[in-house]
Amino acid sequence: MVGGSGGIGLAVARGCAEESLGVTLVARRQGRLDRATASLGDVVRVAAVVADAGSPVALDRAVAEHERLHGGLDLVVVAVGGGRPGTAVETSAEELTAAVERDVGVPWQVFRSSIGVLRDTAARTGIARFVVVGSVAGLLPVPGFAAYSAAKAALRSLALSVERDEGGAGIRATVIEPGYVATPLTATIAVPADDMLVPDDVAHAVRFLLHLSPRASVTKLVLGRVGAGRHEP
């Protein structure tokens, strides 16, 4: 679980633990990881690896640690990113590059680091899953968030490419695209928290995928908010 120390990522990790899956949390801050690990209890073995998700070496180490502890890798979930305001004309080249690196480059690197173990698991059990948490902004750009919207659209395309490239090997890829989710990252959004989705909504979407047969393919899963327009955040 990359980005599993809080918010959506921690909710997904908790859901996986409730499904009796061994969990490895990957994040940059030891303190947050320690608190997240403690909150998951001791129903399943939970490992925590401090790593910069943009570092191939660090991610390779995290994948190897998970395989050592759990004997394989059934599911990878990447929940990282964050939007910064700026229209297309206001966004600098540096800001666009940073958005693409954060929202596409990190998931791509996680995929590269985990694909070997995912293939091994799929060959042994018939299926393995690669899941990324995107946004409805990847379907309909959010006004004033040009770089973020473009990066989430590219993330969606990445997930579709993984499914197309690796589906024959038994790997299923899904992008979950929620509207606004009530987390610290959306605390400044001018939408009441009570009108937002909750992190467990995304966690339940991941759990839904876990119960599908290897015959099922769900490449896109949109979670809209009641009262919001189609594909509006």
Side-chain angles (χ1 to χ4, degrees), residues 99-124:
V100 172
E101 176 57 32
R102 180 177 60 247
D103 291 302
V104 186
V106 168
W108 173 80
Q109 189 56 62
V110 173
F111 169 71
R112 294 268 294 179
S113 293
S114 61
I115 184 59
V117 185
L118 288 173
R119 285 172 176 165
D120 290 344
T121 298
R124 187 175 66 255

Side-chain angles (χ1 to χ4, degrees), residues 1-3 5 27 29 43 47-48 51 62 68 72 82-83 91 104 107 114 117 128 138 164 206 209 211 219-220 232:
M1 178 67 239
V2 179
S5 63
R29 297 179 180 86
V43 176
R68 183 185 70 81
T91 300
V104 186
S114 61
V117 185
R164 174 163 294 200
V206 174
L209 295 171
H211 291 278
T219 53
K220 306 174 289 292
E232 288 185 2

Side-chain angles (χ1 to χ4, degrees), residues 2 53-57 59-60 63 76-80 99-116 118 130-133 151 154-159 161-162 165-166:
V2 179
S55 166
V57 173
L59 288 173
D60 289 348
V63 171
V76 172
V77 181
V78 186
V80 297
V100 172
E101 176 57 32
R102 180 177 60 247
D103 291 302
V104 186
V106 168
W108 173 80
Q109 189 56 62
V110 173
F111 169 71
R112 294 268 294 179
S113 293
S114 61
I115 184 59
L118 288 173
F130 179 76
V131 178
V132 293
V133 179
L155 176 61
R156 183 173 188 261
S157 183
L158 175 64
S161 292
V162 170
D165 294 343
E166 300 293 336

Side-chain angles (χ1 to χ4, degrees), residues 1-2 13 16-17 20-26 44-49 58-77 113-114 117-118 121 124 129:
M1 178 67 239
V2 179
C16 289
S20 299
L21 294 180
V23 175
T24 298
L25 304 179
V26 180
V44 298
R45 179 178 292 182
V46 178
V49 177
L59 288 173
D60 289 348
R61 176 169 51 84
V63 171
E65 178 67 5
H66 182 92
E67 187 177 22
R68 183 185 70 81
L69 289 174
H70 304 298
L73 185 59
D74 300 279
L75 169 71
V76 172
V77 181
S113 293
S114 61
V117 185
L118 288 173
T121 298
R124 187 175 66 255
R129 297 189 179 278

